[in-house]
């Protein structure tokens, strides 16, 4: 490119130089012509002066004539030389030059002749003069002609020089433009082929470095060095990507629960600490939800581990679908879940989330087993640690469970007092048996038609020395959770049989058994021993168990085996609180009960609630078809009794028949009857 530009420059320079040279030569020739003109004028004057002198008779020395001859010869020679000059010949046609030379020669000859005439015969001057003047005029005309030509040639040369100059400038400009265009195109090409791909590669690499791009490196298909570079980068990216994936996976595994994909305890605790720190600055309130599935062990026993896992996954999905994007759902372990919810308007946000969770959980599902859960919530207060907050949520959860499960409780001061009360009761229960604080009340069970009492249910009473009567609904769950129910249960068995031993031998004795009592192997032996000791026939015994204790509970097979054994010994097995557990009707297939007790909640509402009355009617019908005895409990009114009689129920229990009372002997029993 530079060479082309240089060549163009040199060529233009050369042309300009040539044109200048030509003009210079022409100007030189013109100068020569001028000088010869002067010489010629001088010669003419000198010839004129000398011839005039000679004509007037003035003696002109020979030497002056000789000098004049000499000058004429010189003039002639210079004129001929000027005509011979190469530039002169170039510029003028040979005709003009010849004419000029001839005119010089004629002029020289005429001058020489006039001088000789003047020197030798001055009288002949008059005759010779016209010839001289004619030659002079011819010479001047020829010279004038030559000058015109030279002037014209200079004009033409200057004009041509200007034209050439313009053309050269245009060609230089065009050449320059061409070069600029070539440079520009090359720049575009370079940009497209090299710079742009490299820039994109660098950009992709930067995006990738900060983890923002998963687009491919451009130019992978190129066969050149840039293609090699792109492929190299691609390989590098793949290696880094797989390392990152492994890191992410390791991090995920460390912070998440594998089964459900939810956050695990570690992530939960870290996030909780973070949110509490942040809320101290923002003034937000952090709510911790402690969530436990109800009867998960029973579900696991019933459906096996795979079924249990499915329920856990469904629960995880359900909770995740209820919360907002910035809330955190975690699986803390087993069937324990937790949620962190940060909001400004509490407890409104908490209440909304609770109702959403229960609404979703109660929505019909194809999966069969309904998800029931208990929820405890605690709201943060300034200066609280994550552990403290979680503990309070657990406390509220405990309350929700104690209040019948499948419900939620939000922690408050009152709950705290209740918890202290619970702790106190748990402590005091330990001495209740030895301190003789328990009593048994017996509630009659009657035939629905004759209303004749067919037996009694033993119901435990605890009179606390300071707090007074504590309802069994309060202290039994505490005794169950502390394990004391075994000791208390033994006390109940022994004392109930002791009392029953005093009754009419036709009267049955119903004893409530807690699921925990089935966990110790000695239950059958204990019952048999006690019955033998008090001489109560085993077939008078009715053992009341709830569905969760039997069919859904812990060690289900063992429980069913124990019940089977007790049944073989002659005791009747009664399903208590029928209708409140899980899929009650289908459970009846799993174990042959002798009796079913319809829960008092259905009886209480069957009058004005169509679904309650349907359940009662259906249960009676089912019991009949299976040959079971159906008992309705909680019968308080004549109307209820009437309906139960109409529907064919077998037995009734409730305040209408008799309230639980402390009976101690046959006499008492008879008095009641
Ligand atoms: P449950 O086995 O369903 O006992 C019947 C409960 O219903 C008793 O409450 C009884 O007082 C109440 N009841 C009876 N008839 C009526 C009525 O017409 N209307 C109303 N509103 N209630 C009526 P209680 O004695 O407070 O016992 C509550 C629960 O405590 C029992 O429910 C039982 O699950 C548990 N429980 C009581 N004693 C024992 C025991 O010795 N061992 C075990 N494991 N649990 C027991
Ligand atoms: Ca009962
Ligand atoms: Ca009951």
């Amino acid at each position: 490119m530079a060479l082309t530009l240089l060549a163009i420059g040199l060529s233009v320079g050369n042309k300009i130089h040539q044109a200048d040279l030509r003009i210079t030569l022409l100007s030189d020739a013109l100068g020569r012509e001028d000088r010869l003109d002067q010489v010629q004028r001088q010669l003419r004057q000198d010839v004129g002066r000398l011839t005039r002198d000679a004509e007037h008779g003035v003696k002109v020395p020979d030497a002056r004539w000789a000098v004049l001859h000499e000058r004429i010869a010189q003039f002639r020679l210079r004129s001929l030389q000027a005509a011979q000059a190469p530039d002169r010949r170039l510029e003028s046609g040979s005709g003009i030059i010849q004419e000029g030379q001839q005119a010089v020669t004629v002029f020289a000859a005429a001058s020489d002749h006039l001088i000789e005439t003047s020197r030798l015969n001055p009288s002949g001057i008059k005759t010779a003069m016209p010839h001289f003047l004619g030659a002079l005029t011819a010479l001047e005309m020829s010279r004038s002609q030559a000058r015109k030509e030279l002037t014209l040639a200079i004009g033409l040369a200057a004009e041509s020089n200007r034209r050439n100059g313009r053309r050269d400038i245009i060609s230089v400009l065009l050449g320059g433009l061409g070069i600029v265009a070539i440079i520009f195109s090359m720049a575009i090409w370079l940009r497209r082929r090299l710079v742009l791909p490299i820039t994109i590669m660098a950009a992709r690499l930067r995006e990738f470095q900060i983890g923002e791009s998963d687009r491919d490196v451009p130019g992978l298909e190129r066969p050149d060095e840039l293609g090699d570079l792109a492929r190299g980068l691609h390989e590098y990216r793949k290696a880094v990507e797989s390392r990152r994936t492994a890191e992410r996976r390791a991090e995920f595994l460390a912070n998440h629960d594998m089964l459900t994909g939810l956050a695990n305890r570690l992530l939960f605790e870290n996030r909780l600490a973070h949110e509490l720190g942040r809320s101290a600055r923002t003034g937000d309130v952090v709510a911790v939800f402690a969530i436990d599935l109800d009867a998960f062990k029973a579900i696991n026993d019933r459906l096996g581990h795979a079924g249990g896992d499915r329920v856990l996954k469904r629960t995880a999905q359900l909770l995740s679908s209820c919360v907002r994007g910035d809330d955190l759902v975690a699986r803390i372990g087993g069937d324990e879940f937790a949620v962190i919810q940060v909001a400004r308007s509490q407890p409104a946000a908490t209440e909304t989330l609770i109702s959403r969770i229960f609404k979703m959980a109660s929505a019909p599902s194809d999966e069969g087993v309904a998800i029931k859960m208990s929820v405890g919530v605690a709201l943060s207060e300034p200066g609280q640690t994550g552990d403290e907050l979680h503990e309070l949520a657990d406390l509220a959860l405990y309350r929700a469970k104690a209040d019948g499960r499948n419900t939620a409780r939000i922690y408050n001061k009152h709950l705290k007092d209740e918890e202290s009360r619970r702790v106190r009761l748990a402590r005091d229960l330990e001495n209740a048996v030895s301190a003789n604080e328990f009593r048994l009340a017996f509630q009659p069970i009657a035939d629905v038609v004759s209303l004749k009492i067919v037996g009694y249910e033993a119901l435990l009473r605890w009179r606390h020395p300071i707090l007074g009567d504590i309802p069994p609904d309060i202290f039994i769950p505490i005794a169950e959770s502390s394990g004391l129910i075994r000791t208390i249960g033994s006390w109940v068995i022994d004392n109930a049989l002791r009392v029953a031993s005093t009754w009419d031998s036709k009267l049955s004795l119903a004893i409530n058994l807690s699921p925990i009592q089935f966990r110790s192997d000695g239950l059958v032996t204990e019952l048999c021993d006690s019955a033998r000791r008090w001489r109560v026939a085993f077939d008078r015994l009715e053992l009341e168990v709830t569905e969760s204790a039997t069919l859904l509970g812990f060690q289900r097979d063992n429980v069913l085996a124990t019940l089977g054994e007790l049944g073989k010994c002659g005791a009747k097995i009664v399903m208590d609180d029928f209708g409140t557990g899980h899929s009650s009707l289908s459970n009846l297939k799993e174990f042959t009960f002798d009796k079913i007790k319809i829960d008092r909640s259905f009886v209480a509402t069957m009058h004005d609630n169509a679904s309650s009355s349907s359940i009662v009617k259906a249960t009676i019908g089912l019991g009949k078809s299976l040959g079971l005895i159906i008992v309705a409990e909680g019968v308080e009114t004549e109307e209820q009794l009437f309906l139960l009689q109409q529907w064919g129920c077998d037995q009734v229990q409730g305040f209408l028949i008799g309230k639980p009372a402390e009976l101690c002997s046959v006499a008492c029993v008879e008095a009641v009857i």
Side-chain angles (χ1 to χ4, degrees):
M1 207 79 59
L3 282 177
T4 317
L5 263 181
L6 186 67
I8 292 173
L10 284 176
S11 145
V12 168
N14 191 36
K15 276 186 192 165
I16 291 169
H17 176 70
Q18 291 292 330
D20 284 350
L21 198 66
R22 188 149 170 254
I23 290 173
T24 309
L25 287 175
L26 287 171
S27 302
D28 285 353
L30 197 61
R32 274 198 307 277
E33 288 298 323
D34 284 346
R35 279 194 298 282
L36 283 172
D37 260 8
Q38 266 181 350
V39 174
Q40 180 202 314
R41 266 198 303 280
Q42 194 62 49
L43 267 178
R44 196 190 66 193
Q45 283 170 9
D46 289 349
V47 169
R49 203 177 310 119
L50 281 189
T51 46
R52 249 192 325 278
D53 285 351
E55 209 174 10
H56 292 130
V58 179
K59 181 76 179 139
V60 179
D62 282 349
R64 285 186 64 193
W65 294 115
V67 168
L68 206 54
H69 273 303
E70 183 53 32
R71 280 176 54 200
I72 289 166
Q74 282 287 322
F75 170 72
R76 186 169 168 247
L77 188 66
R78 279 176 66 188
S79 295
L80 290 176
Q81 277 173 348
Q84 297 292 309
D87 50 335
R88 188 75 184 82
R89 261 195 284 181
L90 270 176
E91 290 311 319
S92 313
S94 57
I96 291 171
I97 293 175
Q98 274 175 2
E99 270 176 31
Q101 281 180 330
Q102 213 174 335
V104 168
T105 310
V106 171
F107 171 71
S111 302
D112 281 339
H113 175 69
L114 182 64
I115 291 166
E116 276 305 302
T117 306
S118 307
R119 185 170 72 92
L120 301 175
N121 180 22
S123 59
I125 288 173
K126 261 192 177 55
T127 328
M129 188 53 83
H131 179 59
F132 171 76
L133 290 176
L136 183 67
T137 308
L139 180 62
E140 277 177 351
M141 276 174 66
S142 146
R143 200 175 296 289
S144 156
Q145 183 66 27
R147 188 193 304 277
K148 255 190 219 159
E149 266 178 32
L150 277 174
T151 311
L152 189 70
I154 288 171
L156 284 174
E159 177 58 30
S160 135
N161 212 2
R162 257 197 310 282
R163 258 203 316 276
N164 287 344
R166 260 203 310 276
R167 201 186 56 217
D168 289 344
I169 284 170
I170 287 169
S171 48
V172 166
L173 274 179
L174 285 177
L177 271 177
I179 287 167
V180 167
I182 289 168
I183 289 172
F184 191 67
S185 321
M186 278 176 68
I188 289 177
W189 181 85
L190 273 176
R191 195 177 133 68
R192 278 227 183 111
R193 288 290 294 171
L194 301 173
V195 181
L196 210 61
I198 290 174
T199 316
I200 295 175
M201 275 181 215
R204 290 284 151 77
L205 218 58
R206 269 197 302 277
E207 287 167 8
F208 175 71
Q209 215 61 37
I210 52 171
E212 275 185 2
S213 169
D214 52 358
R215 284 184 292 173
D216 255 342
V217 178
L220 285 174
E221 67 298 334
R222 286 174 65 142
D224 55 5
E225 286 77 3
L226 264 184
D228 287 343
L229 180 63
R231 283 183 287 279
L233 286 177
H234 183 68
E235 289 303 317
Y236 161 77
R237 246 182 66 159
K238 261 175 32 189
V240 174
E241 187 64 68
S242 67
R243 200 192 66 214
R244 273 190 197 164
T245 311
E247 281 170 2
R248 274 200 292 270
R249 175 130 191 89
E251 200 194 316
F252 186 85
L253 287 176
N255 287 297
H256 290 82
D257 164 51
M258 277 306 91
L259 177 70
T260 58
L262 293 179
N264 63 11
R265 180 184 282 276
L266 182 70
L267 182 54
F268 169 80
E269 283 171 353
N270 288 342
R271 176 76 175 269
L272 184 55
H274 171 79
E275 294 296 358
L276 285 173
R278 215 167 61 113
S279 70
R281 295 190 303 276
T282 59
D284 285 345
V285 179
V286 181
V288 168
F289 289 58
I291 301 169
D292 235 23
L293 289 183
D294 294 338
F296 179 68
K297 285 197 180 72
I299 294 170
N300 230 358
D301 285 351
R302 185 153 173 247
L303 304 176
H305 275 293
D309 284 356
R310 277 200 301 277
V311 171
L312 289 173
K313 282 187 194 166
R314 271 176 55 210
T315 309
Q317 280 164 3
L318 185 146
L319 293 174
S320 302
S321 68
C322 290
V323 298
R324 284 180 324 208
D326 47 358
D327 298 337
L328 179 93
V329 182
R331 182 175 169 221
I332 302 297
D335 60 336
E336 269 180 74
F337 294 84
V339 174
I340 300 173
Q341 183 201 44
V342 184
R344 180 131 314 172
S345 53
Q346 290 288 26
T350 293
E351 283 160 1
T352 311
L353 182 53
I354 289 173
S355 64
R356 212 180 301 146
I357 289 173
F358 281 99
K359 198 172 161 199
M360 291 283 280
S362 64
S365 124
D366 316 333
E367 303 277 334
V369 181
I371 295 177
K372 292 196 173 165
M373 58 182 94
S374 301
V375 180
V377 188
L379 302 173
S380 68
E381 279 174 18
Q384 228 164 17
T385 66
D387 281 350
E388 284 165 357
L389 192 60
H390 198 189
E391 256 173 47
L392 296 181
D394 271 342
L395 205 81
L397 171 66
Y398 185 85
R399 189 67 254 164
K401 284 184 179 174
D403 287 353
R405 298 169 183 267
N406 199 26
T407 184
R409 291 288 175 267
I410 300 178
Y411 173 81
N412 57 27
K413 178 78 179 61
H414 175 65
L415 223 150
K416 177 83 181 166
D417 294 344
E418 270 187 36
E419 175 58 13
S420 324
R421 196 169 114 98
R422 203 187 72 83
V423 171
R424 182 183 177 182
L425 290 182
R427 200 187 56 219
D428 294 349
L429 258 183
E430 286 181 21
N431 304 316
V433 173
S434 55
N436 204 20
E437 289 166 8
F438 287 119
R439 291 281 177 275
L440 279 177
F442 292 88
Q443 187 178 29
I445 302 163
D447 179 86
V448 76
V449 182
S450 65
L451 296 185
K452 203 170 166 248
I453 290 174
V454 292
Y456 288 87
E457 179 181 0
L459 294 162
L460 188 55
R461 299 287 175 260
W462 178 26
R463 176 158 292 173
H464 189 279
I466 297 159
L467 302 172
D469 285 337
I470 312 287
D473 283 334
I474 300 284
F475 72 81
I476 295 271
I478 298 175
E480 282 179 337
S481 63
S482 66
L484 262 178
I485 192 70
R486 289 197 188 91
T487 318
I488 296 171
S490 298
W491 184 91
V492 170
I493 291 170
D494 201 49
N495 282 277
L497 281 165
R498 180 178 58 79
V499 174
S501 68
T502 64
W503 303 342
D504 185 309
S505 61
K506 284 193 217 75
L507 292 171
S508 62
L509 167 67
I511 295 175
N512 291 289
L513 290 176
S514 158
I516 314 291
Q517 288 172 272
F518 286 92
R519 289 190 196 168
S520 43
D521 296 333
L523 183 66
V524 180
T525 324
E526 189 186 352
L527 276 163
C528 290
D529 287 354
S530 207
R532 208 173 300 129
R533 187 165 55 233
W534 296 108
R535 292 198 196 85
V536 175
F538 218 72
D539 58 8
R540 286 175 64 195
L541 270 186
E542 291 186 352
L543 302 171
E544 296 193 2
V545 288
T546 55
E547 282 180 290
S548 59
T550 53
L551 298 163
L552 298 167
F554 184 70
Q555 293 174 339
R556 175 171 164 266
D557 293 340
N558 289 351
V559 174
L560 294 180
T562 307
L563 287 177
E565 238 178 285
L566 291 168
K568 266 190 222 138
C569 296
K572 286 196 181 71
I573 309 297
V574 184
M575 183 186 273
D576 202 356
D577 301 342
F578 184 79
T580 56
H582 296 270
S583 34
S584 303
L585 293 176
S586 64
N587 286 337
L588 286 176
K589 285 191 293 193
E590 310 244 349
F591 185 79
T592 323
F593 287 90
D594 300 291
K595 227 176 173 180
I596 293 174
K597 266 190 162 181
I598 301 173
D599 191 70
R600 59 181 186 275
S601 60
F602 299 109
V603 177
T605 53
M606 67 184 189
H607 219 73
D608 45 15
N609 183 311
S611 76
S612 290
S613 65
S614 314
I615 288 170
V616 174
K617 262 196 279 184
T619 311
I620 294 168
L622 186 87
K624 287 237 169 295
S625 68
L626 292 172
L628 307 177
I629 301 167
I630 308 293
V631 191
E633 62 178 11
V635 180
E636 293 181 350
T637 64
E638 294 287 350
E639 288 87 347
Q640 288 166 345
L641 179 64
F642 177 73
L643 280 177
L644 291 163
Q645 284 169 340
Q646 295 292 305
W647 294 337
C649 185
D650 297 305
Q651 298 176 348
V652 282
Q653 183 182 0
F655 294 168
L656 184 70
I657 311 300
K659 290 195 171 183
E662 287 188 26
L663 304 174
C664 45
S665 66
V666 184
C668 302
V669 174
E670 280 167 355
V672 170
I673 295 166

